[in-house]
């Protein structure tokens, strides 16, 4: 059973580990190999220590006391018409995927953002990311596209949008995401 809780600065190392490991498994064959190989947990930890002091909502998922995933979001950074909040990141270790933890994290973030007065949300996702189906199953709809530089290469990204935070995950069977 997983537990979802508010992330603290003390979680920075665990979040950084999940962030690096999930990038290396999720984006293999999409993002340049040398970029993935050079991702550094210590550098990410420093970034997360700082990030966790900002006005963002970050939650971690724990299984047996170990952080296996996280989600973060807040006010939209780049305007997308009709949306006021943004899912900045959601990552799970491979062994924690397809157990309902991702959906639980997404719903927790949506609830928190809703409590802060946001009504809708968008997430920018690498188009070739195999997790794209997760966003569709949770109720997200493709609303925009652009290119983003990662590791010196321009990659296509798409925005999935949810016009109503309260509807995220409605009708999704437990364990399917």
């Amino acid at each position: 059973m997983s537990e979802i809780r508010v992330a603290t600065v003390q979680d920075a190392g665990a979040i950084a580990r999940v962030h690096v490991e999930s990038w290396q498994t999720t984006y293999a064959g999409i993002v340049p190999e040398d970029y993935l190989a050079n991702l550094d947990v210590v550098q990410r930890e420093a970034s997360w220590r700082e990030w966790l002091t900002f006005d963002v909502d970050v939650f971690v998922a724990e299984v047996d006391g170990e952080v296996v995933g996280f989600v973060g979001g807040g006010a939209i950074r780049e305007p997308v018409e009709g949306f006021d909040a943004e899912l900045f990141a959601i990552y799970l270790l491979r062994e924690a995927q397809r157990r309902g933890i991702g959906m639980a994290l997404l719903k927790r973030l949506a609830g928190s953002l809703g409590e802060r007065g946001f009504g809708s949300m968008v997430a920018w996702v690498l188009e070739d990311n195999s997790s794209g189906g997760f966003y569709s199953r949770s109720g997200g709809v493709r609303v925009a596209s652009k290119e983003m530089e990662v590791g010196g290469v321009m990659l296509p990204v798409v925005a999935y949008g949810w016009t109503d935070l309260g509807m995220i995950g409605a009708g999704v069977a437990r364990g399917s995401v």
Side-chain angles (χ1 to χ4, degrees), residues 40-61:
D40 183 272
V41 173
V42 174
Q43 288 177 338
R44 289 283 168 148
E45 180 177 355
S47 295
W48 275 105
R49 283 191 183 285
E50 181 180 5
W51 185 252
L52 288 166
T53 66
F54 296 157
D55 184 25
V56 295
D57 295 357
V58 181
F59 299 93
V60 295

Side-chain angles (χ1 to χ4, degrees), residues 3-43:
E3 174 192 350
I4 309 296
R5 63 172 176 78
V6 173
T8 68
V9 173
Q10 290 73 28
D11 293 314
I15 292 171
R17 180 182 65 82
V18 169
H19 202 169
V20 168
E21 287 182 26
S22 61
W23 263 70
Q24 290 172 336
T25 57
T26 302
Y27 300 133
I30 300 171
V31 170
E33 190 175 317
D34 60 327
Y35 180 84
L36 294 175
N38 287 307
L39 291 175
D40 183 272
V41 173
V42 174
Q43 288 177 338

Side-chain angles (χ1 to χ4, degrees), residues 23 43 105 110 120-121 138:
W23 263 70
Q43 288 177 338
L105 283 166
S120 60
M121 180 171 69
S138 68

Side-chain angles (χ1 to χ4, degrees), residues 16-155:
R17 180 182 65 82
V18 169
H19 202 169
V20 168
E21 287 182 26
S22 61
W23 263 70
Q24 290 172 336
T25 57
T26 302
Y27 300 133
I30 300 171
V31 170
E33 190 175 317
D34 60 327
Y35 180 84
L36 294 175
N38 287 307
L39 291 175
D40 183 272
V41 173
V42 174
Q43 288 177 338
R44 289 283 168 148
E45 180 177 355
S47 295
W48 275 105
R49 283 191 183 285
E50 181 180 5
W51 185 252
L52 288 166
T53 66
F54 296 157
D55 184 25
V56 295
D57 295 357
V58 181
F59 299 93
V60 295
E62 290 183 328
V63 173
D64 298 326
E66 177 188 358
V67 172
V68 298
F70 69 92
V71 67
I76 197 164
R77 298 175 288 188
E78 177 183 327
V80 176
E81 189 174 336
F83 299 92
D84 58 0
E86 183 176 350
L87 166 63
F88 301 144
I90 182 168
Y91 291 105
L92 295 167
L93 295 176
R94 180 171 281 172
E95 61 270 16
Q97 295 175 8
R98 306 201 74 69
R99 295 171 47 190
I101 297 170
M103 186 59 64
L105 283 166
L106 188 61
K107 285 181 172 183
R108 181 71 181 267
L109 175 65
S112 180
L113 291 172
E115 289 171 7
R116 291 180 54 197
F118 294 103
S120 60
M121 180 171 69
V122 68
W124 288 100
V125 180
L126 287 172
E127 188 169 38
D128 293 336
N129 178 349
S130 64
S131 299
F134 165 79
Y135 300 101
S136 295
R137 288 189 301 276
S138 68
V141 177
R142 290 175 107 169
V143 295
S145 63
K146 64 179 182 178
E147 285 195 331
M148 179 177 87
E149 187 272 326
V150 180
V153 175
M154 295 303 289
L155 298 172

